[in-house]
Amino acid sequence: MPSGKGRRLPEVYCIVSRLGCFDLFSKILDEVEKRRAISPALVQPFMRGIMEAPFPAPGRTISIKNFLPGSGTEVIELCRPSDSRLEHVDFECLFSSLSLRLLLRVFASLLLERRVIFTADKLSTLSKCCHAIVALLYPFTWQHTYIPVLPPSMMDIVCTPTPFIVGLLSSSLARLKELPLEEVLVVDLGNSRFLRQMDDEDSILPHKLQAALEHVLERRKELACDVADHPSEPSSLSSVVSEAFVRFFVEIVGHYSLFMGGSDRDEESSASSSSSPTPSSFQREAFRKAVSSKSLRRFLEVFMETQMFAGFVQERELRRQGLKGLFEMRAQDYLDSLPGSENRGVNKFLKGLGHKMKFLSKK
């Protein structure tokens, strides 16, 4: 609260950014709070220095010099991690709110870009669980409506026919039941149950891959203890959960780079006029048929029609060799582990599909 007498409003400092660098922003706000406690006049010069400095590139650190009475000129180092996708992600909140089986059903529904509503008694539970479930989709990005906490005045949004992830307080459930909802999955985080579902959620993912993913997640705490000795791990439990889902996606689409460039379209369709949009160079059918598992091919047939998959391919076509994230490293490791004949023909690309999922803790 600002100093003085009478009616006052609390002061709030807020950082708005399209980048999820929570730890970096938290450090800035800590410095703002320290200066505000001395004098409000010290905040603006500090923030001006922050705003004028270039935002650090992934994995880089910048230094900000600022004068602080009683301390002289201080040098504040702001470090941006090379991979910030797990910052501020609380996977354990998600696991404590949903059983593992239900969590995988929700995950499967999101991969098909269905409409999902989460309900909970607390705003913090909604926010944490929605943020965590979106983080599980990496290296894919949710392309549709995403509102972790939907105000009651905007509840009509859940009647739209387009995909969405929405969080609602449990106090709004009575009104939700009155709305003309189309096919939607309603997830009760407070009681670990589905209030509405399509009844096919357990059959969306390839069975063997789902079983392997479930096996690793059941052992997440044990595996987290195994990697806790690595000082470079920001959060061992988050890393274990993330690795499990990254490995899942490597098994499904890890061979995508073999089909970038060229085209499996016929010559007639490729002979378009120069005024037409540049066609994708991704060989979709060859990519899908390279998988030996029939259940995985069936899943890919549907998954490849989503906006998430289209965005995944488009980003890699635009950036080509520029992407060096965790998924790219894991996918390359997987390709390198295959015999040369499989690497070229890829008819037996997922030969070990039913084997226990290998946990990779190496960064």
Side-chain angles (χ1 to χ4, degrees), residues 159-179:
C159 298
T160 60
T162 55
F164 57 71
I165 299 174
V166 162
L168 277 178
L169 285 174
S170 301
S171 56
S172 300
L173 277 177
R175 188 183 166 197
L176 181 69
K177 294 176 182 177
E178 299 173 356
L179 296 176

Side-chain angles (χ1 to χ4, degrees), residues 342-360:
E342 287 186 286
N343 205 337
R344 289 191 298 270
V346 293
N347 289 326
K348 299 180 179 179
F349 185 82
L350 297 177
K351 186 178 180 181
L353 193 64
H355 294 174
K356 187 177 77 172
M357 184 181 294
K358 179 182 178 185
F359 174 71
L360 301 172

